[in-house]
Amino acid sequence: MFRVIKESENVDERQHCFLIQTFGQQSHYFSVETRQELLRLESAWHKGVCLAISQLGCKTFHVVYKNRPSALTLDWEDGFSLKCFACVSPEWTFQFSQLKGSSDDGNATLKLHFYRPLMKDTVTEDVICPKLQELLFFMHSFLTAKVASLDPSFLTPRQ
């Protein structure tokens, strides 16, 4: 994950700072010389994430849903889907755009809040995932890539 640090959050006198973090790893704090370098680096990071995720296509996590072993899949084309191992069809599916928020307990429980346009309401789906941090990083990557891919010029090489 790449995050530009606000000036008020700087830990020392350096300017143009950012964090890079991967799941299961400590954050790394860096700086570059100019604001323009920081913006280029951020753009390159997001472009790399977008290309990697679109190539990956989908990622599935073993979870527990309503006390049943299940699989939560993040899919580049289809969004979120959850399928209990004992079931033929998915329990639920949602596009990435339907995710309105999420929260977790920092341990294993994740709450996903989805908007249902036909019902005009929000539903919360709770899953327990032993690899919660990995799931959160992949969710962030898929969502970042989806947002970045909305700009048609984003993935076009610049001359």
Side-chain angles (χ1 to χ4, degrees):
M1 186 166 24
F2 185 98
R3 184 169 76 88
V4 173
I5 302 298
K6 298 175 189 166
E7 283 188 40
S8 62
E9 297 176 318
N10 285 354
V11 297
D12 53 30
E13 69 283 345
R14 292 181 289 172
Q15 294 182 336
H16 318 298
C17 298
F18 60 96
L19 282 176
I20 292 181
Q21 184 180 14
T22 60
F23 68 88
Q25 300 292 320
Q26 181 177 335
S27 296
H28 298 281
Y29 187 81
F30 297 98
S31 67
V32 292
E33 291 292 321
T34 67
R35 176 96 176 124
Q36 187 176 10
E37 282 179 304
L38 180 59
L39 294 174
R40 276 199 315 264
L41 183 60
E42 182 182 30
S43 176
W45 179 276
H46 291 310
K47 189 177 288 190
V49 167
C50 188
L51 291 171
I53 292 298
S54 64
Q55 289 282 325
L56 177 65
C58 69
K59 176 72 176 169
T60 300
F61 293 88
H62 291 269
V63 299
V64 175
Y65 177 72
K66 297 184 177 178
N67 294 320
R68 295 183 301 203
S70 304
L72 175 64
T73 300
L74 308 175
D75 186 279
W76 177 249
E77 297 295 328
D78 299 325
F80 296 89
S81 66
L82 185 125
K83 184 177 177 294
C84 294
F85 290 137
C87 303
V88 175
S89 58
E91 289 282 322
W92 47 260
T93 60
F94 293 99
Q95 293 294 313
F96 288 117
S97 60
Q98 290 178 269
L99 181 68
K100 295 304 169 197
S102 66
S103 59
D104 65 84
D105 65 358
N107 186 28
T109 302
L110 175 64
K111 293 180 180 289
L112 299 166
H113 311 287
F114 295 105
Y115 179 68
R116 298 186 297 186
L118 296 176
M119 306 263 211
K120 295 189 190 302
D121 69 353
T122 301
V123 63
T124 299
E125 301 291 0
D126 295 358
V127 296
I128 298 170
C129 181
K131 295 183 176 182
L132 179 63
Q133 290 304 312
E134 184 178 352
L135 171 57
L136 293 174
F137 271 90
F138 269 95
M139 274 179 51
H140 186 270
S141 295
F142 271 85
L143 293 167
T144 297
K146 267 303 185 186
V147 169
S149 71
L150 295 176
D151 181 356
S153 66
F154 184 77
L155 296 176
T156 313
R158 294 190 176 124
Q159 300 295 334

